[in-house]
Amino acid sequence: MSSVTVRVPAKVNVQLSVGPLREDGYHDLVNVFHAVSIFDEVVAKESEGITVQVNGKWSDQVPTDDSNLAIRAARALAKHAGRSYGAELVIHKSIPVAGGMAGGSADAAGALVACNELWGLGLPMDDLMEIAGDLGSDVPFSLIGGTAVGTGRGEQLSELPTGGTFHWVFALANGGLSTASVYAECDRLRAASDADVPWPTLNDSLMEALGTGDAYALGTHLSNDLQPAALNLRPELAPTLESGRQHGALGAIVSGSGPTCAFLAIDATHARDLAHSLTTTGTAHTAVAAHGPVHGATLI
Ligand code: ATP
């Protein structure tokens, strides 16, 4: 096989509960991931070494050296297989960079699936999941997609059944936010407030809303413990969230560590209208309608 293409979705966290800071610097999380129809494409072609090129709107913000997560994934896969394979990776980027939608993790998952195929390794999903977990806590979810709850650092995953398709609008900001800086701000705000940080637990009402496909109920139970920190770092996101609510969003939330804002719509038509309103009123730089859940990294 000389060229393989894989499509990988972005994610939004419909619940992100962040426990107290652990001694190892991580937090225990309850993280309900939901894969949505904004996709990066990762193409892998036969080549001597492992290289990456990035195309698309956000390409200038993505490193093409060995720190690129897709390169790291391909190298980890070759190491796992015990041989020095080569691949020229080309990423067509649509997922915002440093936007809280796991774009880098998506590319890593895409590279794992693409190189597994290109190199004819035939490794089972369990092996890819193990390699993915070592690459980053969001990478295993990008492989499976759908809706899933992650515990621990987010990497211990259980798939969740959903009772239908949910329609979303994502307001993309100019410039990203680093995940580490948002967690640091969250810790700083918590230390300053002196309030007890509860152990994170899964919201049963949210699970029920997902299971029955009830968008109205899901909208009221969306939650993100990183939101106060993201809003402190980017105060201009608060009016964006408010504008979405005023235009009838069933729920409005910062996606993961931000700065992308996610709005739950009633249906596909409402999502299109909401995206249009957010951009024409100038509240959002770009707004994109999408749906979920969708499959994880998929060969096309
Ligand atoms: P998350 O939601 O998982 O916290 P994010 O969506 O906020 O992550 P990413 O788009 O994954 O953030 O990018 C985080 C950083 O990773 C970027 O600033 C970029 O420098 C680096 N990076 C490395 N490889 C990639 C890649 N293939 N695509 C995007 N960013 C990458």
Side-chain angles (χ1 to χ4, degrees), residues 136-221:
S137 46
D138 290 353
V139 186
F141 176 72
S142 298
L143 276 177
I144 61 168
T147 306
V149 56
T151 49
R153 285 187 291 117
E155 78 293 1
Q156 298 155 26
L157 277 184
S158 319
E159 291 179 59
L160 291 176
T162 45
T165 295
F166 296 100
H167 296 274
W168 297 90
V169 174
F170 295 95
L172 315 183
N174 259 332
L177 265 178
S178 111
T179 305
S181 69
V182 178
Y183 272 98
E185 181 67 2
C186 174
D187 292 335
R188 196 190 66 74
L189 288 175
R190 285 173 166 184
S193 86
D194 235 17
D196 271 349
V197 178
W199 186 255
T201 53
L202 190 56
N203 178 344
D204 291 336
S205 306
L206 176 106
M207 296 273 283
E208 197 183 323
L210 287 167
T212 54
D214 183 343
Y216 287 84
L218 180 61
T220 62
H221 291 295

Side-chain angles (χ1 to χ4, degrees), residues 18 71 124 185 269 288:
V18 179
I71 292 200
E185 181 67 2
T269 308
V288 181

Side-chain angles (χ1 to χ4, degrees), residues 23 26 55 76-77 79 89 102 104 124 126 131 136 141 161 163-164 198-199 203 209-210 225 250 276 280 288 290 297:
E23 279 187 3
Y26 288 101
N55 304 325
L77 184 68
K79 188 170 173 209
L89 302 169
D126 280 356
I131 302 167
F141 176 72
W199 186 255
N203 178 344
L210 287 167
D225 284 353
L250 304 176
H276 183 72
T280 50
V288 181

Side-chain angles (χ1 to χ4, degrees), residues 284-295:
H285 172 253
T286 311
V288 181
H291 63 270
V294 294
H295 280 289

